[in-house]
Amino acid sequence: MTDEARAYHHGDLRAALLDEAAAMIAEGGAASVTMRGLGRRVGVSRAAAYRHFEDKTALLVAVAAAGFSRLNDRLAAVDASAPRSGVERIRRMGEEYVRFALENPAQYRLMYGREAIARRDLPELREAGNALFEQLVDMIQAYQESGKIKRQDPRAQAYVAWSAVHGLASLLIDEQILTAVDVDGLIRQTTRTVWDGMRVRRRRGA
Amino acid sequence: MTDEARAYHHGDLRAALLDEAAAMIAEGGAASVTMRGLGRRVGVSRAAAYRHFEDKTALLVAVAAAGFSRLNDRLAAVDASAPRSGVERIRRMGEEYVRFALENPAQYRLMYGREAIARRDLPELREAGNALFEQLVDMIQAYQESGKIKRQDPRAQAYVAWSAVHGLASLLIDEQILTAVDVDGLIRQTTRTVWDGMRVRRRRGA
DNA sequence: ACTGTATGTTGACATCGTCAACACTGACGA
DNA sequence: TCGTCAGTGTTGACGATGTCAACATACAGT
C-alpha cells in the first residue's frame, strides 16, 4: 500500500461521505446530492456508500443530525456567554439560531424537511432535536421562576418562541422576505415582540 | 366520437392535470408526483402534460400558486366576517392560516418549497404571495392608526406576525410539535403573545 | 497460512424527466 | 367541399438516477 489514503480501503469513508455530502448540500441543495456524484467526489464507486448507510435518505438524515448537533453547540456557547437575564439573552439566542439558518440554508431546510421526518425513529436525529427544545424549555422555566415572564405551561411558551424564530429563519432562507430589509433589526424586533408578549403586565381592570 | 370525455382530445386537460396533481400531492407529497403516474391517473400519456406545462417544476409551481390563491380566499372570508378589532380578529386570522396548513400540509410545504422559490419569476405565484402579505400589512396599519399597537414599520411588524404563524404552521405539519398538545390553544397563545408584544404599553421610567 | 468479515466494485434493472418525431383533431379560408 | 395548419396527444428513445446481487479485496484473529 502507498502511504496516503488511497488503498482499496478508505480509512474513514463514512465520515468522508458525510463531509462531502454536507458540502454538496451547501453548494447546490439536498436535491443535488447524488450517490454517483458523491462517490465521484470522494473517489469511490457509486455503491460504496451503501456499506455505511442503508440508503440515500439515511445519509441525508445523518447530515441533518449533524446539523442539529452543530446548532446545539452554537446555542450552548451563546447560552454560556450571554448575559444572565433579560431580553438581551433571548435576543442573542434567537439571533444565533437565525444566523445558523442563514449560514446553512440548505442544511437547515434538510433538518426540518421530509426525509428527516420520515426517519424520526433514528435516535441520532431525535435526540439532537429534543436536546434543542429542552434547552429552550429550561431557559423559559428559569425566566418564569425569576418572575420575569408569565407563568404558563413552559412547553407551550417554548413552542411559541420556537415558532417565531423558526418562522423567521424559514421565511428568510426561502427568500420570502425582501432582501432589502435589515435582518438584524428584524431578528431583534421579533425576539423583542415575543419577549414583551410573554412578560408579566399589570392589569388595570377586573 | 362517443359522447363522453374520451376522444383523442381531452377537453380541459390543463385543469384536470392540476386537480389530479393536487390530489397526488395531498395523498403522498410532492415527491410522489410523477409525470407518468399523473398521466396514468388522468388517462393520458406520460408526455401529454408537456403541452400545458414547460416541465414538471412548472406544474408543481402552478399547484403551489393555486394553493396561495385558495389560502387568500379563506383569509379574505375571515377578514370580512371577523370582529372589527382587538385580539379576536388577529386570532381568527392566525387560526385560519394555520388550519389551512394543517389541512393541506403537502401543498403548504410546496408553496414555500424549493421549486416555488426557483420560479418566483412566474407572475402567477408572485402575485398570490404578495397579495397575502399586503393584506397583512393593511391590517397592521389599521391597528396602528386606531392606536392599538405600537407605531413601528408596519412591514417589519407584518414580518414578525407572519413569522410566528408560519413557524407554528411549519412546526406542526413537520411534526416537530408533539401531537399531544392542544393545537387550538397553541394557536391562541401564539397570536395572543404576538399581539401583546405589539401593543402599546405604558412606560414607568423615562 | 487459513478463514471469515468488513469494505469496495461492477453489472444490471426499473424508474424517472424530457425531447424529437409522428398522429389525430377541429377550425378556418378558398 | 376541400386543404391546410395550429393545437393537442402519443410513442420511442436517451441519459441519469437509486438500488440490488454478485464479485473482489483487505485485514484481523486463529
Side-chain angles (χ1 to χ4, degrees):
Chain A
M1 42 182 148
T2 71
D3 54 333
E4 257 302 318
R6 209 47 19 71
Y8 188 89
H9 282 26
H10 179 284
D12 194 356
L13 182 57
R14 187 190 156 89
L17 288 170
L18 283 178
D19 282 358
E20 202 62 38
M24 292 177 76
I25 288 167
E27 289 167 25
S32 77
V33 176
T34 260
M35 293 313 238
R36 300 164 129 92
L38 179 58
R40 216 173 302 131
R41 284 176 62 143
V42 174
V44 103
S45 83
R46 62 197 187 242
Y50 287 88
R51 299 294 168 192
H52 301 274
F53 300 96
E54 196 186 343
D55 56 17
K56 187 187 178 185
T57 300
L59 193 162
L60 291 177
V61 170
V63 175
F68 269 115
S69 136
R70 272 204 305 143
L71 177 55
N72 269 335
D73 291 348
R74 284 179 58 159
L75 289 182
V78 171
D79 192 51
S81 74
R84 214 51 52 84
S85 66
V87 220
E88 187 57 15
R89 183 183 193 76
I90 294 271
R91 209 213 76 215
R92 291 272 286 277
M93 297 287 279
E95 198 170 50
E96 189 71 6
Y97 187 97
V98 177
R99 205 179 297 286
F100 174 87
L102 286 173
E103 287 168 12
N104 310 277
Q107 193 168 15
Y108 185 84
R109 226 174 272 119
L110 182 65
M111 285 159 58
Y112 291 100
R114 286 318 281 157
E115 290 94 347
I117 300 166
R119 305 280 172 108
R120 198 77 62 66
D121 42 309
L122 295 190
E124 203 182 359
L125 189 61
R126 186 154 204 84
E127 281 165 21
N130 284 357
L132 206 93
F133 184 67
E134 295 305 332
Q135 203 172 332
L136 177 58
V137 173
D138 287 349
M139 200 167 98
I140 285 190
Q141 230 149 6
Y143 276 120
Q144 280 194 8
E145 278 158 20
S146 70
K148 299 265 186 188
I149 64 175
K150 293 178 186 161
R151 289 187 179 273
Q152 296 171 321
D153 175 8
R155 313 202 131 248
Q157 278 182 326
Y159 281 137
V160 171
W162 188 18
S163 290
V165 284
H166 174 63
L168 181 58
S170 300
L171 291 179
L172 282 171
I173 67 180
D174 288 346
E175 297 166 46
Q176 299 288 341
I177 292 182
L178 297 182
T179 50
V181 307
D182 165 24
V183 173
D184 282 344
L186 197 51
I187 297 175
R188 205 177 334 248
Q189 185 167 347
T190 301
T191 52
R192 175 93 224 179
T193 301
V194 171
W195 169 260
D196 281 347
M198 286 185 178
R199 272 171 84 183
V200 292
R201 75 194 306 165
R202 251 186 295 256
R203 315 253 161 139
R204 15 185 187 186
Chain B
M1 38 179 151
T2 71
D3 54 332
E4 255 304 318
R6 209 47 17 72
Y8 188 88
H9 283 26
H10 179 283
D12 195 357
L13 182 55
R14 186 189 156 89
L17 288 170
L18 283 178
D19 282 359
E20 203 61 39
M24 291 177 78
I25 288 167
E27 289 167 25
S32 76
V33 177
T34 262
M35 292 312 237
R36 300 164 129 92
L38 178 59
R40 215 173 302 131
R41 284 176 61 146
V42 174
V44 104
S45 84
R46 62 198 186 241
Y50 287 89
R51 300 293 168 192
H52 301 274
F53 300 95
E54 194 185 344
D55 55 18
K56 187 187 178 185
T57 299
L59 193 163
L60 291 178
V61 169
V63 176
F68 269 114
S69 135
R70 271 204 306 142
L71 176 54
N72 269 335
D73 291 348
R74 284 178 59 161
L75 289 182
V78 171
D79 192 50
S81 74
R84 215 52 51 84
S85 66
V87 220
E88 187 57 15
R89 184 182 192 76
I90 294 270
R91 209 213 77 216
R92 290 273 286 278
M93 298 285 280
E95 198 171 50
E96 190 71 6
Y97 187 98
V98 176
R99 204 178 298 286
F100 174 88
L102 285 173
E103 288 168 12
N104 311 275
Q107 191 168 15
Y108 186 84
R109 227 176 271 118
L110 182 65
M111 286 160 58
Y112 290 101
R114 288 316 282 156
E115 290 94 347
I117 299 166
R119 305 280 173 108
R120 196 76 62 68
D121 42 309
L122 295 190
E124 203 182 358
L125 188 61
R126 186 155 203 84
E127 280 163 24
N130 284 357
L132 206 92
F133 183 67
E134 295 306 332
Q135 204 172 333
L136 177 58
V137 173
D138 287 350
M139 199 166 100
I140 286 191
Q141 230 148 8
Y143 276 119
Q144 279 193 9
E145 278 157 22
S146 70
K148 299 264 187 188
I149 63 175
K150 293 179 187 162
R151 288 187 179 273
Q152 296 172 320
D153 175 8
R155 311 201 136 247
Q157 277 181 327
Y159 281 137
V160 172
W162 189 17
S163 290
V165 284
H166 174 63
L168 180 58
S170 300
L171 292 179
L172 282 171
I173 67 181
D174 288 345
E175 296 166 46
Q176 298 289 343
I177 292 181
L178 297 182
T179 49
V181 306
D182 165 23
V183 173
D184 282 344
L186 197 51
I187 297 175
R188 207 176 333 248
Q189 185 167 348
T190 301
T191 52
R192 177 93 224 177
T193 301
V194 171
W195 169 259
D196 281 348
M198 286 185 178
R199 272 172 83 182
V200 292
R201 73 195 306 166
R202 250 186 297 257
R203 315 248 159 143
R204 10 185 190 190

